[in-house]
Amino acid sequence: MRRDSELIRRIVLNVADSNEALNASHWEDEENSHKKVGYHIWLLKEAGYLTASISSADNDPYYLVIVSQLTWEGQDLADALRNPSVWDEVKKRIAKMGLDVTIDILKAVAVKVLSEQAGLSS
């Protein structure tokens, strides 16, 4: 998840900032294949962070993926990941863990860093 955390952040922030549904192809590039993007959208949907329609066809489980909006939890995740200085610190802490992390751990680290930077941490 360490290397995929950038993709997750992009998906969440793009959906948060969009007034319309987004197709998975919006995030496909040299580093992020159709399958990888579809899989991460599916993970975010299953974890309750966004609503999406995922259709399979022609042996492709992510044939058509449309992301419509973030859930309440997804909006919290977007708020935690939005600030660049928070994101830089989150990446450092995840790298120090030396292991893959779940979306929930990514969110927990981001919320902790955000709280610390806001002076709300004890």
Side-chain angles (χ1 to χ4, degrees):
M1 181 66 71
R2 278 179 283 151
R3 63 182 173 261
D4 297 338
S5 58
E6 287 286 348
L7 174 59
I8 290 169
R9 181 176 186 258
R10 281 182 45 219
I11 291 169
V12 170
L13 293 181
N14 288 162
V15 174
D17 294 341
S18 180
N19 292 326
E20 58 189 34
L22 298 172
N23 186 296
S25 63
H26 184 81
W27 298 282
E28 293 173 20
D29 57 27
E30 289 179 11
E31 291 182 23
N32 300 300
S33 68
H34 167 78
K35 184 176 179 179
K36 182 178 178 181
V37 170
Y39 176 69
H40 283 81
I41 291 170
W42 177 81
L43 286 174
L44 287 161
K45 177 184 177 190
E46 290 298 304
Y49 290 103
L50 54 77
T51 58
S53 171
I54 301 173
S55 301
S56 60
D58 299 330
N59 293 322
D60 179 356
Y62 311 110
Y63 182 78
L64 180 61
V65 178
I66 305 291
V67 181
S68 50
Q69 64 187 14
L70 295 178
T71 63
W72 184 281
E73 286 293 317
Q75 203 58 58
D76 283 350
L77 178 60
D79 291 343
L81 297 176
R82 187 173 300 283
N83 184 295
S85 67
V86 169
W87 180 241
D88 288 342
E89 183 62 26
V90 167
K91 290 188 298 185
K92 288 177 192 173
R93 292 185 187 189
I94 289 172
K96 282 183 185 177
M97 291 178 189
L99 48 96
D100 289 344
V101 297
T102 65
I103 295 169
D104 289 337
I105 291 174
L106 177 68
K107 180 182 177 189
V109 172
V111 168
K112 181 169 177 48
V113 171
L114 183 62
S115 294
E116 289 169 359
Q117 289 190 4
L120 301 174
S121 186
S122 51

